[in-house]
Amino acid sequence: MVGERFFRHINAACWDPEVRLQEMDRDGVDVQVVSATPVLFAYDRPVEHALDCARLFNDAALELCSRGKGRLRALCQVPLQDIDAACRELSRCMRSGHLGVQIGNHVGEKNLDDPGLVTFLQHCADEGAAVLVHPWEMFGQERMPKYMMPWTVGMPAETQLSVVAMILSGGFDRLPDTLQICFAHGGGSFAFLLGRLENAWHHHPVARAESEHPPSYYLNRFYVDSAVFDQRALQFLVTTMGAERVMLGSDYPFPLGEEHVGSLVRQTNLSPDAKIKLLGGNALRFLGLEGESPNAASGMAAGSSSPVLPSPGQLTYSSYLKVPELLELQQPQSVPPHHDELLFILVHQTYELWFKELLHDLDAVVANLQKAGAAPQSRDEVYEAARLLRRCTEITRVLVEQFTILETMLPTHFLAFRGLLEPASGFQSEQFREIEFLCGLKDEKMLRYHRPTPEAYASLERRLEEPSLRDVFFGALQAMGKLALAVEGATERERFEARARAVHELYKDEHHHRDWIDVCERLTEFDELVVSWRLRHIQLVERIIGIRMGTGGSTGASYLKLTLDKKFFPELWEARTLLTE
Ligand code: HEM
């Protein structure tokens, strides 16, 4: 109720922190800044009443926040009809934990260019208090009795009026640039009509008023929120104001608020970096939380499980993992992007990331087996090689499974963009070929697919020259005296059989060679899983393009079937045939 008049139904989210926190969790909001609703400003009441009212709400807001597990912070309100009283209440609130103040965009007839209000804003800057300007008591209401027009037409105009008043009065010229001030609802109609204002400023001296510079000069002096409810409007707002100047605004929990806070920003086409700014980075700066310690920034007790907010320059989840850069790396070729092309790109990229980890681990396995060969009595390296090989098998198991995700793509959907991919093909996967070469399957002919990329070509040439995992494994067995040096003139077949017999010897003496048998088992399993990968890949290919030719120029599935016989460690398989009961 406002006086005797019904104003609005409200729900528990207005007073129950638990409800707020649940809804914040639902929407993925870490920290919320709460303020009383503008109808409670009481600027038209005697100052004592307004001050009582402000104190009541300000203390209640802090009490509510104290039950918010460090995730609720508050903006106070002040009796703005009396500047001294307003300044005193602001100082009291800042001392007791408020982050700033929410003010109405006018006090009766006084706009933000009123000297008293400018004095108050100066005081806010001195106190380091963030100022949120909210439109209220919309003008022209006698002409807007219907259709909720005061909210949809009046409010945006009120806000625009305030920004224009601040600029043209020279308010921004006089106030320090440390003042953190934000105008609600995207700054109302300001951004859209900035061109008109700018034009007037340049052509009509009277429209320049006291401002030293054209209006667009002051865009970096204030923030606006993102509550514009339309993708194109948000894009435009960010283009006009800059991504540093727009921050998530929700109007939560009122009827004109976003149903799921943040969804507009999250769904927009802005760059990931810009989204991060809009979703939190800018607010941290605006609220003066950037410099605080993470715990203080989120207002929580040490040891609590509430979120911590990073200070500038500190490592964050995103900056450590380079999430924005990562999310920039999916660039569909189809225009407009075909829905399934993102999946196609992501699945391939995921494979490549795991290939990278496989190479990393397989290189470490090689290094460990080399050390084991150099010091045959030491067992640590053999255990470490077996441990890392287990990781390789687990990764490959995931890689075999992952094809099922791509199989949710209909053949027709793939064909819709396949033509754009030629001549790109899995043949050109440098890392896949590196894994083959590193494990021992060295096929020089495959280099030709990498001629267009000299760096890849050079890495593969190096892999061809370096000892493979297979070489290093048998080198170690040789150093242990399990494998005789090959006699000169021995055929490749004879060498192969000698190596298989060496493995056979290990298995026969399980008691002494448990660690090496473990390495053999892991290598065999890895080999087996890579064949499973080849088979699942073929099934996928047949399911999606039948027996068509590949984009890399091969005969497609029938070529790939020939690769099924490839083994990294054939001697390990041969040894099984040699074993008898
Ligand atoms: C729509 C899905 C896919 C189709 C239709 C497809 C098709 C093909 C075809 C036809 C080839 C033979 C080379 C050529 O002529 O292009 C091939 C090779 C290859 N593909 Fe795929 N592929 C698909 C998905 C994948 C995925 C998700 C990966 C994961 C990295 C992958 C990795 C490879 C590799 C490494 C080769 C070379 C294999 C070898 O030379 O042994 N493919 N692919």
Side-chain angles (χ1 to χ4, degrees):
M1 307 293 293
V2 175
E4 294 301 306
R5 182 169 57 88
F6 167 78
F7 178 65
R8 178 183 287 171
H9 284 290
I10 60 169
N11 59 34
C14 286
W15 64 83
D16 185 343
E18 277 305 317
V19 174
R20 266 187 190 247
L21 293 179
Q22 276 163 20
E23 300 195 355
M24 285 160 69
D25 286 341
R26 180 200 63 195
D27 295 347
V29 172
D30 298 323
V31 176
Q32 202 180 54
V33 181
V34 300
S35 52
T37 174
V39 282
L40 303 171
F41 283 154
Y43 293 164
D44 55 348
R45 301 288 182 88
V47 60
E48 316 81 67
H49 293 183
L51 183 58
D52 270 356
C53 197
R55 285 200 173 130
L56 206 78
F57 282 119
N58 294 339
D59 295 346
L62 288 184
E63 199 275 323
L64 180 122
C65 293
S66 71
R67 290 183 287 130
K69 301 181 178 152
R71 297 172 62 192
L72 299 177
R73 306 298 301 267
L75 295 181
C76 65
Q77 71 174 56
V78 292
L80 210 49
Q81 61 271 59
D82 181 318
I83 299 304
D84 286 344
C87 289
R88 277 197 302 275
E89 178 59 5
L90 179 89
S91 298
R92 184 186 80 88
C93 288
M94 291 305 286
R95 281 196 303 276
S96 52
H98 283 266
L99 295 177
V101 60
Q102 177 186 227
I103 61 171
N105 72 313
H106 63 99
V107 179
E109 301 287 294
K110 294 174 181 165
N111 288 320
L112 290 190
D113 56 352
D114 174 77
L117 293 179
V118 174
T119 302
F120 176 73
L121 293 176
Q122 173 70 57
H123 185 68
C124 291
D126 295 344
E127 287 279 353
V131 183
L132 172 65
V133 183
H134 198 292
W136 82 306
E137 273 193 354
M138 283 67 81
F139 52 36
Q141 294 216 29
E142 61 289 353
R143 292 185 48 223
M144 299 189 260
K146 292 190 278 187
Y147 321 129
M148 229 181 147
M149 274 188 175
W151 276 264
T152 55
V153 178
M155 273 196 171
E158 280 284 0
T159 313
Q160 182 193 8
L161 186 155
S162 302
V163 185
V164 173
M166 285 281 289
I167 292 175
L168 297 184
S169 67
F172 283 122
D173 296 312
R174 290 196 296 281
L175 286 162
D177 60 9
T178 48
L179 174 69
Q180 302 290 340
I181 186 166
C182 173
F183 294 87
H185 313 147
S189 28
F190 172 78
F192 193 68
L193 296 174
L194 173 61
R196 185 175 172 87
L197 182 67
E198 192 88 350
N199 182 53
W201 192 93
H202 284 290
H203 294 104
H204 300 283
V206 66
R208 279 183 205 183
E210 309 294 319
S211 59
E212 289 172 16
H213 306 279
S216 57
Y217 176 87
Y218 300 96
L219 297 181
N220 64 357
R221 294 295 303 277
F222 61 94
Y223 296 83
V224 296
D225 74 20
S226 64
V228 292
F229 305 95
D230 180 88
Q231 291 292 352
R232 284 164 305 174
L234 182 62
Q235 299 264 359
F236 178 75
L237 193 61
V238 171
T239 309
T240 307
M241 296 294 301
E244 276 72 32
R245 291 282 148 191
V246 184
M247 57 191 167
L248 177 63
S250 62
D251 249 342
Y252 171 92
F254 293 130
L256 285 186
E258 229 184 347
E259 197 179 340
H260 287 291
V261 173
S263 52
L264 181 74
V265 175
R266 290 199 178 94
Q267 286 161 16
T268 164
N269 274 339
L270 292 171
S271 74
D273 189 41
K275 281 189 196 178
I276 287 170
K277 289 177 180 160
L278 265 65
L279 288 171
N282 294 339
L284 285 177
R285 197 170 61 251
F286 169 69
L287 295 165
L289 294 178
E290 272 186 314
E292 282 191 25
S293 78
N295 282 357
S298 61
M300 65 187 187
S304 119
S305 61
S306 302
V308 288
L309 302 181
S311 307
Q314 268 193 324
L315 212 54
T316 63
Y317 176 86
S318 280
S319 66
Y320 176 59
L321 298 175
K322 302 260 179 267
V323 176
E325 291 86 343
L326 193 63
L327 300 183
E328 283 286 1
L329 297 177
Q330 294 72 43
Q331 310 281 348
Q333 293 289 310
S334 48
V335 188
H338 192 282
H339 182 83
D340 280 1
E341 196 181 346
L342 179 65
L343 175 74
F344 186 78
I345 295 172
L346 278 172
V347 168
H348 279 82
Q349 288 182 337
T350 315
Y351 272 103
E352 289 294 335
L353 286 174
W354 283 124
F355 288 166
K356 180 171 181 170
E357 180 63 34
L358 279 178
L359 284 166
H360 186 57
D361 293 327
L362 290 169
D363 275 331
V365 172
V366 166
N368 274 289
L369 292 185
Q370 275 169 332
K371 281 192 206 146
Q377 300 314 316
S378 158
R379 291 289 152 105
D380 288 354
E381 291 78 11
V382 188
Y383 289 129
E384 184 59 4
R387 187 184 73 83
L388 289 169
L389 279 168
R390 196 173 108 66
R391 180 180 301 160
C392 295
T393 56
E394 291 313 312
I395 293 173
T396 315
R397 219 182 293 285
V398 168
L399 297 188
V400 174
E401 279 302 308
Q402 235 177 225
F403 285 122
T404 55
I405 307 175
L406 207 48
E407 283 175 343
T408 60
M409 176 174 69
L410 290 179
T412 40
H413 291 185
F414 177 55
L415 290 176
F417 63 87
R418 185 184 189 230
L420 300 167
L421 307 182
E422 254 159 327
S425 146
F427 266 161
Q428 296 153 357
S429 167
E430 177 205 339
Q431 294 200 101
F432 179 81
R433 208 59 72 198
E434 271 196 68
I435 293 172
E436 282 195 339
F437 287 8
L438 171 58
C439 289
L441 262 181
K442 296 181 176 178
D443 183 350
E444 208 174 330
K445 289 196 297 300
M446 286 307 185
L447 281 182
R448 64 196 149 129
Y449 294 104
H450 300 277
R451 279 216 183 86
T453 46
E455 277 180 20
Y457 194 92
S459 316
L460 283 168
E461 264 189 326
R462 205 179 54 244
R463 291 277 184 201
L464 272 183
E465 285 154 20
E466 283 171 0
S468 68
L469 177 52
R470 183 175 166 212
D471 299 332
V472 170
F473 172 78
F474 287 108
L477 293 194
Q478 205 164 48
M480 286 161 61
K482 297 286 166 200
L483 173 64
L485 274 177
V487 259
E488 215 166 304
T491 62
E492 186 44 45
R493 181 67 209 170
E494 285 162 348
R495 287 168 204 255
F496 173 81
E497 282 168 1
R499 290 195 294 259
R501 277 199 304 279
V503 176
H504 177 226
E505 292 302 310
L506 293 178
Y507 276 85
K508 279 205 312 191
D509 189 4
E510 185 179 332
H511 180 64
H512 287 105
H513 300 304
R514 226 173 257 291
D515 49 356
W516 277 99
I517 292 177
D518 203 23
V519 171
C520 291
E521 286 295 294
R522 297 283 155 232
L523 289 174
T524 312
E525 193 178 353
F526 182 55
D527 218 356
E528 198 174 70
L529 283 161
V530 172
V531 176
S532 303
W533 184 92
R534 294 187 199 276
L535 180 64
R536 282 296 289 120
H537 175 246
I538 294 170
Q539 289 172 328
L540 165 84
V541 172
E542 287 189 330
R543 182 164 171 169
I544 301 222
I545 60 165
I547 55 165
R548 272 198 182 74
M549 280 184 67
T551 43
S554 82
T555 52
S558 57
Y559 155 78
L560 290 169
K561 282 181 185 163
L562 300 176
T563 67
L564 281 177
D565 288 334
K566 289 186 178 182
K567 286 201 167 66
F568 292 153
F569 315 106
E571 294 89 346
L572 293 179
W573 297 92
E574 179 70 11
R576 280 153 218 278
T577 316
L578 299 178
L579 286 165
T580 48
E581 299 87 47

